[in-house]
Amino acid sequence: MRVPTGAVRPTALLLASVLAAATLTGCTLLELTRDCEGTAARLEELAALGILGSRPDGATPARGFEEVDAGCWADSGEVVVHAERVYAFPGTRVEVAAHYRKAAARDGWEPDGAAGPDGLCFVRDGMALWVVPLTAESLMEDGLGGRSHSATGAGYSIGVETHVDGGSEAGC
């Protein structure tokens, strides 16, 4: 049986493109198809971590961010789950940093040396934990410029992430 060449060329071109992409990126076809399916239990586990509910006296969940925001993303075979809280705090960034350094140590998190001297990033059991001050610029970058949040004090987010299925080690 003869196959029309018009059907073979697009198929051959597609196959060659997929193989070239896999070779250049170091990804296998299986890795390219991985997604967030089956990560619900891990998302719940991250969202329930006590450190996300720990906060300095006076800190409150920012308006519009009352719940833990948990999700998953997949890119080039990497599957990452994350959970995050956003707080408004009438105090200073120094007070926020002092609180989380103590809370993280008490909870078994270790400082990640890659975070730099002012960074608040910790690692534990293949997870990374970070505390990031919120600025008007960072809110705009995240598409949250119009969201209600504290305009005074030290608004910040605290989040945790981990790679799923033996992906890269989480870190800062």
Side-chain angles (χ1 to χ4, degrees):
M1 174 175 169
R2 187 169 190 274
V3 178
T5 55
V8 173
R9 283 188 194 187
T11 304
L13 183 59
L14 176 63
L15 182 58
S17 297
V18 169
L19 291 174
T23 302
L24 292 173
T25 64
C27 296
T28 65
L29 292 176
L30 180 60
E31 288 174 328
L32 291 172
T33 61
R34 288 197 324 203
D35 61 18
C36 292
E37 187 175 323
T39 61
R42 187 68 173 134
L43 282 171
E44 288 179 25
E45 184 181 315
L46 287 183
L49 287 172
I51 193 78
L52 294 177
S54 174
R55 58 186 186 225
D57 290 336
T60 58
R63 284 178 288 164
F65 299 95
E66 288 82 5
E67 303 296 323
V68 172
D69 178 29
C72 175
W73 59 268
D75 183 32
S76 299
E78 290 285 336
V79 179
V80 178
V81 292
H82 62 89
E84 182 176 14
R85 294 289 313 254
V86 177
Y87 291 102
F89 181 58
T92 67
R93 290 181 181 177
V94 172
E95 291 171 297
V96 170
H99 171 82
Y100 283 106
R101 283 190 180 104
K102 288 178 189 172
R106 194 172 42 244
D107 206 23
W109 295 89
E110 297 181 13
D112 186 347
D118 295 329
L120 284 173
C121 189
F122 308 89
V123 291
R124 180 185 94 182
D125 302 328
M127 298 180 289
L129 168 74
W130 69 90
V131 180
V132 178
L134 297 178
T135 64
E137 293 82 21
S138 67
L139 289 169
M140 291 300 287
E141 286 174 10
D142 291 339
L144 303 172
R147 291 285 284 274
S148 298
H149 60 281
S150 173
T152 61
Y156 65 94
S157 68
I158 176 172
V160 63
E161 76 176 23
T162 188
H163 294 252
V164 178
D165 294 334
S168 303
E169 189 75 12
C172 299

